[in-house]
């Protein structure tokens, strides 16, 4: 940047002996990514704006994300440090901290991407394959036989039609978050940045009926309805399927098969 600015200043006003410095009134900050320009202390010379960061390659229109902002959030995602704590570390070590709004925006984008990718990997392809296979066999592709159980947090629904028992939907429920605030408060999403807790402390982790219902509703959105439910006798997955049917949200009457060893 500075070589270009010196040369340009020399061309514009060859006899000026002013000093070139940052024009802080024009400064733009987006998280840790800065855009700056230079001005002369004597004449009216002012340079164009320079990006002082590398951009992420993207085919979308509009301003591209900065590598440094995405990288920082990926890093934070793997540590128990929150956005606020990271800014404190910066300030304590006299490094200009990134702006809160910029960090929050990138954090949201990162966690949404991660969530979508996990969900896609787990469900869509399996669900779609399943539909194709059922069509070939001449069966109704829009209903599915399932088995379900909840092991503490991750509620999983697996198809019960092939020997593979592929997982067709999963609903991770967690009260745990490594960010500092959750150890003292009970509200979800109270701190800035991605939160790994998605239910409140006062919610019952054993509320199988609710998790099953959410799972079935997601399946319904993907165009699949529950037909036969295979589950353990104390599970409420069947009640969830039944109440969805009674409320008219699904059109397939569910039937239950109990298995004691799940
Ligand atoms: Zn000048
Ligand atoms: Zn949290």
């Amino acid at each position: 940047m500075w070589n270009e600015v010196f040369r340009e200043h020399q061309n514009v006003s060859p006899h000026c002996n002013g000093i070139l410095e940052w024009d802080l009134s024009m400064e733009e900050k987006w998280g840790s990514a800065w855009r700056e320009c230079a001005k002369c202390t004597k004449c009216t010379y002012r340079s164009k704006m320079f990006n002082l960061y590398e951009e992420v390659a993207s085919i979308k229109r509009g301003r591209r994300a900065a590598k440094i902002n995405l990288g920082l959030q990926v890093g934070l995602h793997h540590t128990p440090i929150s956005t606020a704590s990271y800014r404190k570390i910066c300030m304590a070590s006299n490094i200009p901290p990134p702006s809160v709004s910029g960090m929050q925006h990138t954090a949201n984008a990162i966690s949404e991407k991660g969530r979508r990718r996990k969900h896609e990997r787990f469900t869509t392809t399996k669900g779609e394959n399943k539909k194709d296979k059922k069509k070939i066999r001449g069966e109704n592709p829009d209903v599915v036989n399932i088995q379900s159980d909840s092991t503490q947090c991750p509620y999983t629904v697996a198809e019960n039609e092939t020997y593979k028992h592929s997982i067709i939907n999963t609903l991770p429920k967690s009260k745990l978050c490594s960010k500092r605030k959750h150890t003292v408060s009970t509200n979800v999403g109270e701190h800035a940045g991605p939160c790994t807790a998605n239910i409140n402390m006062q919610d019952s982790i054993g509320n199988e009926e609710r998790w099953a219902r959410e799972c079935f509703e997601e399946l319904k959105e993907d165009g699949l309805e529950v037909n036969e439910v295979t589950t353990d006798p104390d599970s409420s997955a069947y009640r969830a399927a039944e109440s969805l049917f009674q409320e008219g949200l699904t059109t397939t009457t569910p039937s239950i098969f109990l298995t004691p060893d799940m």
Side-chain angles (χ1 to χ4, degrees):
M1 165 181 173
W2 286 108
N3 283 336
E4 192 178 331
V5 169
F6 285 137
R7 206 172 302 134
E8 204 178 42
H9 176 243
Q10 195 97 85
N11 287 342
V12 175
S13 32
H15 304 294
C16 173
N17 60 355
I19 294 166
L20 291 174
E21 59 177 22
W22 300 111
D23 183 359
L24 294 182
S25 67
M26 295 291 289
E27 183 178 74
E28 288 174 24
K29 285 185 176 179
W30 185 246
S32 302
W34 298 0
R35 275 162 61 76
E36 304 278 358
C37 74
K39 67 172 183 190
C40 176
T41 49
K42 278 202 178 156
C43 68
T44 54
Y45 171 75
R46 177 180 277 147
S47 77
K48 66 174 174 101
M49 298 293 289
F50 288 85
N51 290 352
L52 300 187
Y53 57 88
E54 282 180 52
E55 289 176 335
V56 172
S58 158
I59 47 166
K60 274 194 207 152
R61 286 162 63 123
R63 190 190 289 184
R64 297 194 178 95
K67 276 186 189 170
I68 185 170
N69 287 340
L70 287 181
L72 175 61
Q73 283 305 332
V74 170
L76 284 180
H77 210 76
H78 293 278
T79 61
I81 302 173
S82 70
T83 299
S85 312
Y86 176 75
R87 294 187 80 244
K88 275 183 204 153
I89 296 174
C90 284
M91 286 185 271
S93 46
N94 208 14
I95 298 167
S99 63
V100 179
S101 56
M103 281 186 90
Q104 183 64 59
H105 182 88
T106 323
N108 292 346
I110 290 265
S111 53
E112 175 58 24
K113 267 205 182 87
R115 195 194 64 79
R116 261 213 316 270
R117 230 184 115 56
K118 266 180 223 152
H119 190 258
E120 272 168 18
R121 261 217 320 261
F122 244 129
T123 59
T124 332
T125 42
K126 294 227 165 96
E128 284 308 308
N129 284 347
K130 182 114 209 69
K131 279 192 170 193
D132 292 344
K133 277 184 201 148
K134 291 194 92 169
K135 266 183 216 151
I136 293 168
R137 291 206 298 259
E139 294 168 10
N140 181 355
D142 295 332
V143 298
V144 64
N145 300 335
I146 57 150
Q147 51 176 337
S148 91
D149 189 26
S150 113
T151 323
Q152 293 294 344
C153 305
Y155 194 88
T156 53
V157 173
E159 51 84 7
N160 201 16
E161 299 186 339
T162 66
Y163 69 93
K164 277 187 181 165
H165 301 302
S166 310
I167 290 173
I168 52 174
N169 201 5
T170 178
L171 194 70
K173 287 289 171 191
S174 172
K175 295 176 181 181
L176 303 176
C177 174
S178 51
K179 309 287 183 200
R180 188 180 58 89
K181 276 214 169 153
H182 281 281
T183 55
V184 288
S185 90
T186 55
N187 284 338
V188 170
E190 241 197 18
H191 52 80
C195 180
T196 53
N198 54 8
I199 52 172
N200 282 320
M201 280 296 173
Q202 60 267 29
D203 284 329
S204 161
I205 200 89
N207 195 345
E208 277 193 45
E209 188 171 342
R210 196 172 128 199
W211 313 149
R213 196 189 158 97
E214 280 182 38
C215 253
F216 297 162
E217 281 170 352
E218 277 185 14
L219 280 180
K220 172 73 189 165
E221 278 170 28
D222 293 341
L224 275 178
E225 292 195 357
V226 172
N227 188 23
E228 292 171 359
V229 182
T230 305
T231 183
D232 51 353
D234 64 329
S235 160
S236 4
Y238 174 69
R239 276 209 304 279
E242 199 183 26
S243 69
L244 279 177
F245 173 70
Q246 279 165 359
E247 289 164 33
L249 296 169
T250 54
T251 50
T252 315
T253 327
S255 42
I256 187 167
F257 294 91
L258 292 180
T259 150
D261 57 346
M262 271 182 78

